[in-house]
Amino acid sequence: QVQLVESGGGLVQPGGSLRLSCAASGIMFSTHVVGWYRQAPGKQRELVARILRGTSTNYAASVKGRFTISRDNAKNTVYLQMNSLKIEDTAVYFCNAAQTTTGRDYWGQGTQVTVSS
């Protein structure tokens, strides 16, 4: 079975930091494009950051310079380091792994990030 499990969400003050983790079982992140998405109430789900099979990454303009996506292949885990958090970063954050050649993609359960004073 395939499982993606996010962790690390929580409540943080504006300007604070959180590190999200996405641990995979049943698939190897090294053969997938892995992305972090988020969805705020009443909003569409949006791509936050993505890391390709190599080292290439891309970020939404709204998080550039503040968020960093990385991976640890030995742990089969992808991280999202979030710094200088803003209230508008509040959302449920989801991990996604996609393999275009097979048409398969997987989602985690999501982890809540709340930025509030």
Side-chain angles (χ1 to χ4, degrees):
Q1 59 182 315
V2 175
Q3 280 191 294
L4 305 182
V5 180
E6 301 101 330
S7 61
L11 176 65
V12 66
Q13 292 184 329
S17 298
L18 285 173
R19 186 181 67 208
L20 306 183
S21 299
C22 178
S25 61
I27 60 168
M28 294 182 63
F29 273 156
S30 61
T31 64
H32 289 72
V33 176
V34 182
W36 284 98
Y37 294 74
R38 68 186 181 187
Q39 188 166 22
K43 302 290 186 179
Q44 296 267 36
R45 187 173 297 185
E46 64 173 340
L47 176 67
V48 176
R50 180 164 54 198
I51 186 165
L52 305 183
R53 292 171 182 174
T55 58
S56 181
T57 60
N58 62 277
Y59 299 89
S62 59
V63 307
K64 261 185 173 293
R66 300 189 297 121
F67 291 10
T68 303
I69 188 170
S70 62
R71 63 186 171 191
D72 185 336
N73 287 337
K75 296 181 179 180
N76 208 21
T77 299
V78 172
Y79 304 94
L80 184 68
Q81 178 66 46
M82 305 184 294
N83 298 326
S84 301
L85 283 161
K86 304 174 180 179
I87 292 174
E88 51 263 45
D89 295 319
T90 296
V92 178
Y93 284 71
F94 298 90
C95 179
N96 172 266
Q99 194 171 64
T100 304
T101 54
T102 63
R104 295 176 179 175
D105 74 304
Y106 306 93
W107 292 91
Q109 82 286 355
T111 185
Q112 177 71 48
V113 172
T114 302
V115 185
S116 176
S117 298

